[in-house]
Amino acid sequence: MSAQTPAAQPETTAAPQAETLPLVIAPDPRLKTRTRLVTAADRTRVSALAQRMLATMYAAPGIGLAAPQVGVDLRLAVVDLQPDDKPAPIILINPKVEKTSTEEVTREEGCLSIPGQYADVTRPERVTVSYEDLDGHTQTIEADGLLATCLQHEIDHLDGILFVDHLSALKRNIILRKMVKEKRLRKNG
């Protein structure tokens, strides 16, 4: 998710400097594919991948990044709203929305895979998300505000859903046509 205004969130450990990864830009079929669960066999590479994802997200700058946005088919996402302008990354392995509120909120969203495009998206105001941490322990986050929106946005990525998929067909098609045109212009140089 593109950088937004910071909000309170759970404490976590700060990420060390790591090499960035290239972002996958829409339209790209990898962004529309449901990712696979992280298994025990994936654990050795997930920690290094998460650090590189955090470095990529910070450099963009953004507040959330999911593995498909860097071309990786795993249920892995990173989030950091940087409360008090200090890094507080959350690494979510196999995250799952467990509960949502019936109350909804509309917030402007952007996406690192759809650069320069923003739109109002309506989502549940509060959310409970379970996930595994880097040590394989199950954790739970109860979030509202920007953190709730960011968590839902990143978990959507893991299911092949972009924020534009929550818009009307007309708005979605306008944004995606712009992305196709920009991609063509970048390719032709």
Side-chain angles (χ1 to χ4, degrees):
M1 193 163 152
S2 295
Q4 301 276 337
T5 309
Q9 61 185 318
E11 253 184 65
T12 60
T13 58
Q17 292 295 333
E19 185 179 335
T20 62
L21 297 161
L23 288 168
V24 174
I25 305 297
D28 187 302
R30 294 174 289 180
L31 296 172
K32 299 301 292 172
T33 304
R34 183 176 171 82
T35 55
R36 69 176 181 80
L37 290 172
V38 172
T39 65
D42 301 313
R43 289 285 176 177
T44 55
R45 74 176 228 189
V46 165
S47 180
L49 175 61
Q51 298 310 315
R52 290 184 73 190
M53 286 173 60
L54 284 166
T56 303
M57 179 189 73
Y58 293 136
I63 59 171
L65 186 67
Q69 293 180 272
V70 292
V72 178
D73 178 30
L74 289 176
R75 293 190 73 75
L76 171 66
V78 297
V79 171
D80 190 350
L81 303 186
Q82 295 197 28
D84 305 318
D85 295 323
K86 295 177 185 170
I90 304 169
I91 298 169
L92 304 117
I93 300 169
N94 298 327
K96 180 180 176 190
V97 174
E98 299 290 347
K99 185 176 168 185
T100 60
S101 65
T102 55
E103 302 85 18
E104 294 184 327
V105 64
T106 301
R107 183 182 304 277
E108 183 179 70
E109 291 187 29
C111 181
L112 298 177
S113 291
I114 308 176
Q117 304 299 315
Y118 300 88
D120 287 342
V121 176
T122 301
R123 297 182 183 272
E125 185 176 25
R126 289 179 308 285
V127 65
T128 302
V129 172
S130 64
Y131 67 97
E132 297 167 34
D133 61 22
L134 287 174
D135 296 322
H137 300 113
T138 300
Q139 304 291 334
T140 302
I141 296 176
E142 292 184 13
D144 60 8
L146 181 57
L147 181 57
T149 298
C150 188
L151 290 169
Q152 292 172 82
H153 179 107
E154 300 312 326
I155 292 170
D156 272 358
H157 273 298
L158 303 178
D159 293 326
I161 300 167
L162 301 173
F163 84 92
V164 294
D165 294 328
H166 293 280
L167 306 177
S168 70
L170 176 65
K171 288 180 182 177
R172 178 177 52 252
N173 289 336
I174 289 169
I175 290 173
L176 291 177
R177 276 196 300 268
K178 284 181 189 175
M179 296 307 301
V180 168
K181 183 178 178 181
E182 289 174 15
K183 200 170 203 176
R184 189 171 44 245
L185 289 171
R186 278 192 306 273
K187 184 179 178 182
N188 295 333

